[in-house]
Amino acid sequence: MPDAVINNPSTAQTIQTSFSLRKSDKFVFLSTAIVGIWSLVLNSYVHGRVILDSASQSHFMTLQFASKLGLEKKKINFAVSGLSENTINIKWKINNAFISNKDSSYTSPLDFLIASSITDFVPSTGPNFRIKKFNDINRSILADPSFDEPGKTDMIIGVELLYQIIKGRKVISDNLTLNNSVFRFIVTVDLLIQLTIKAVFS
């Protein structure tokens, strides 16, 4: 995109993203990972939780996490639409933020659109919700060892990067899969229970 459009936005450009599952009896754990983003201000990587979203055309970061990094933000004017057909205007963007895995064997520059918030806590389950089979997983090999514990999301990584980071998959059961990635194993779970996941941009 030309710099003139970014620095002097006049007409909103629309992109589409979606990663929510609504009003369904099937509960899917959203794929999450812990990644590092390089901060020039802190001269180190800052770790945050990301959702890996194959339905999103762009990458997103919360304003709180962006402020923590201290990276330069550029003024833009994007309209983001999702499955609910609601449109949110995005006013800021960070270019070339370097993302890394834990041992820095993988790094990649990404552009992030900045939103004041991305989702409710993920997964959106009650405090007493536990799945016995998760106890058998060696969490030290996981991209997000706390994937089944509700927590805030700092970023969304879209489809552009997914094909680069996924290495293969290992099926544990009919509804539990471990996807090998540069960030370690990403858990995918598909369960038949009455829950609703809702993604909210603001």
Side-chain angles (χ1 to χ4, degrees):
M1 180 179 299
D3 289 342
V5 176
I6 294 176
N7 295 327
N8 299 288
S10 56
T11 303
Q13 300 185 18
T14 301
I15 58 175
Q16 186 169 8
T17 186
S18 62
F19 59 91
S20 60
L21 178 66
R22 297 179 178 217
K23 297 180 180 178
S24 173
D25 60 351
K26 183 174 289 188
F27 176 53
V28 179
F29 274 83
L30 299 179
S31 299
T32 57
I34 304 300
V35 305
I37 301 289
W38 182 255
S39 169
L40 291 174
V41 175
L42 301 175
N43 196 33
S44 65
Y45 283 103
V46 178
H47 291 95
R49 195 184 202 192
V50 303
I51 290 175
L52 303 169
D53 179 21
S54 61
S56 178
Q57 298 175 9
S58 298
H59 313 300
F60 296 87
M61 181 183 292
T62 64
L63 179 60
Q64 181 181 24
F65 192 74
S67 299
K68 186 176 181 180
L69 294 172
L71 299 179
E72 179 184 0
K73 297 189 292 292
K74 292 184 178 293
K75 187 74 173 178
I76 60 170
N77 190 12
F78 274 160
V80 178
S81 61
L83 286 179
S84 62
E85 298 183 356
N86 293 328
T87 299
I88 302 297
N89 290 326
I90 301 293
K91 301 297 185 182
W92 299 98
K93 178 181 182 181
I94 289 179
N95 289 330
N96 294 322
F98 276 85
I99 189 170
S100 171
N101 57 4
K102 289 184 178 180
D103 62 5
S104 299
S105 61
Y106 173 85
T107 60
S108 178
L110 295 180
D111 296 341
F112 286 92
L113 302 179
I114 306 302
S116 59
S117 63
I118 294 176
T119 72
D120 296 329
F121 275 25
V122 173
S124 55
T125 62
N128 296 322
F129 181 75
R130 294 291 183 271
I131 300 177
K132 187 175 181 180
K133 68 176 63 179
F134 291 168
N135 296 332
D136 299 328
I137 298 177
N138 179 4
R139 292 177 182 262
S140 66
I141 68 171
L142 300 183
D144 181 4
S146 302
F147 74 96
D148 56 336
E149 299 177 10
K152 67 178 182 179
T153 299
D154 300 301
M155 292 163 282
I156 292 174
I157 292 179
V159 66
E160 173 191 353
L161 194 68
L162 290 186
Y163 296 111
Q164 299 179 29
I165 66 175
I166 299 298
K167 297 179 177 180
R169 63 187 311 191
K170 179 180 181 181
V171 177
I172 305 300
S173 66
D174 291 341
N175 52 21
L176 177 60
T177 302
L178 299 182
N179 293 291
N180 193 12
S181 77
V182 297
F183 303 120
R184 299 187 177 181
F185 284 93
I186 298 167
V187 179
T188 301
V189 183
D190 191 349
L191 299 172
L192 293 174
I193 55 179
Q194 288 287 342
L195 286 173
T196 300
I197 302 173
K198 182 168 61 176
V200 179
F201 284 94
S202 61

